[in-house]
Amino acid sequence: MVKTAEINFQVKSVRQTTEQIAALTQSYGGQVIHHIMRSTTGDSIDVRKSDDSVMRVTLVNSTAEMTVKIPPASLVGFLNKVAQMGIRVNDQKMDVTDKSLDYLSTRLKLKNQNELVDAQKKTSVNKKDPDNLLAFKNNMVDQQINNLKIDDSVKLSTVMLSFYESNAVNKHMMADNNLADYQQPVSTRFGRSFETGWNVFVEILIGISNFWILIPIGLVIWLAISYFKRNALVKG
């Protein structure tokens, strides 16, 4: 009789439950043959804590899957103790499969094949068809392995466990990576704009002063034009 079971449940802490199940399995003389634990992140927000740091608040979902082998006589007790570790059991089932006929069928086939092999040894092996002979022997090996698997399934029941915890809130302090937040305050930038404008105005005046020679030249030209105009009017 082959017993298998599955259970899906919610726990307070995935990591702690994983350790507890491993210890419980060992206490029953079983073994863990598969274990995987995952953490996925959901929504997150950044809360400003200072000018250059923020606290990132993230929802984290943790799940785990385990496959263990337990002696059949201890299977029910093991399932009950695992269920007590959870906040809520969503699904739990146990199946018992009778493999007696499959096991007997394989043994009878192996017996017939062994008898055929012994008969061939007493006479002569058909060496004209080595492919069929190899396929025949491989089939015997497959049947022997299948019976060994059934023996293993009967000695140790397979239990598949999947569990999860409620979304956890993870808080993490980190440097602010938004460069726009590092700009100076508006009042400071506004004051600097006046200073920058005055500096530009002064630079313009200095630039104009570099061309001071143009002022007397322009004055001379203006006086000359005015003089010629007055002479023209007198003569007219």
Side-chain angles (χ1 to χ4, degrees), residues 209-232:
S209 67
N210 290 328
F211 299 96
W212 64 270
I213 191 63
L214 296 178
I215 297 175
I217 293 175
L219 180 60
V220 170
I221 294 174
W222 179 74
L223 291 174
I225 293 173
S226 299
Y227 174 77
F228 287 117
K229 286 183 177 180
R230 282 197 301 270
N231 289 338

Side-chain angles (χ1 to χ4, degrees), residues 19-157:
E19 296 173 355
Q20 292 171 358
I21 291 176
L24 181 64
T25 301
Q26 187 176 6
S27 68
Y28 276 109
Q31 57 182 337
V32 178
I33 61 174
H34 172 73
H35 174 214
I36 183 171
M37 189 163 55
R38 300 186 183 92
S39 290
T40 57
T41 58
D43 296 335
S44 64
I45 59 172
D46 291 339
V47 181
R48 176 165 294 283
K49 305 300 289 185
S50 65
D51 291 339
D52 59 355
S53 64
V54 296
M55 181 175 66
R56 177 159 294 177
V57 183
T58 307
L59 292 179
V60 180
N61 177 257
S62 298
T63 61
E65 296 175 3
M66 296 181 71
T67 303
V68 303
K69 287 193 172 184
I70 299 293
S74 305
L75 180 59
V76 175
F78 175 82
L79 291 175
N80 289 336
K81 288 190 176 182
V82 168
Q84 292 173 4
M85 298 178 186
I87 300 175
R88 181 183 64 206
V89 176
N90 299 321
D91 184 37
Q92 178 178 343
K93 65 179 181 178
M94 184 179 70
D95 295 319
V96 180
T97 306
D98 188 355
K99 293 286 186 177
S100 302
L101 295 179
D102 294 338
Y103 189 82
L104 178 61
S105 173
T106 303
R107 288 192 61 183
L108 292 175
K109 290 178 181 179
L110 282 173
K111 180 183 177 183
N112 293 336
Q113 290 173 339
N114 286 326
E115 290 176 352
L116 179 59
V117 170
D118 291 339
Q120 288 178 338
K121 288 180 179 179
K122 292 177 181 179
T123 56
S124 60
V125 178
N126 184 9
K127 297 182 179 180
K128 294 183 180 180
D129 196 356
D131 291 338
N132 287 341
L133 179 61
L134 179 61
F136 178 78
K137 291 183 177 180
N138 287 340
N139 185 51
M140 291 181 64
V141 171
D142 290 339
Q143 292 180 7
Q144 290 173 341
I145 295 298
N146 186 53
N147 268 4
L148 290 175
K149 289 181 178 180
I150 294 177
D151 286 338
D152 181 68
S153 300
V154 171
K155 293 177 183 178
L156 291 173
S157 298

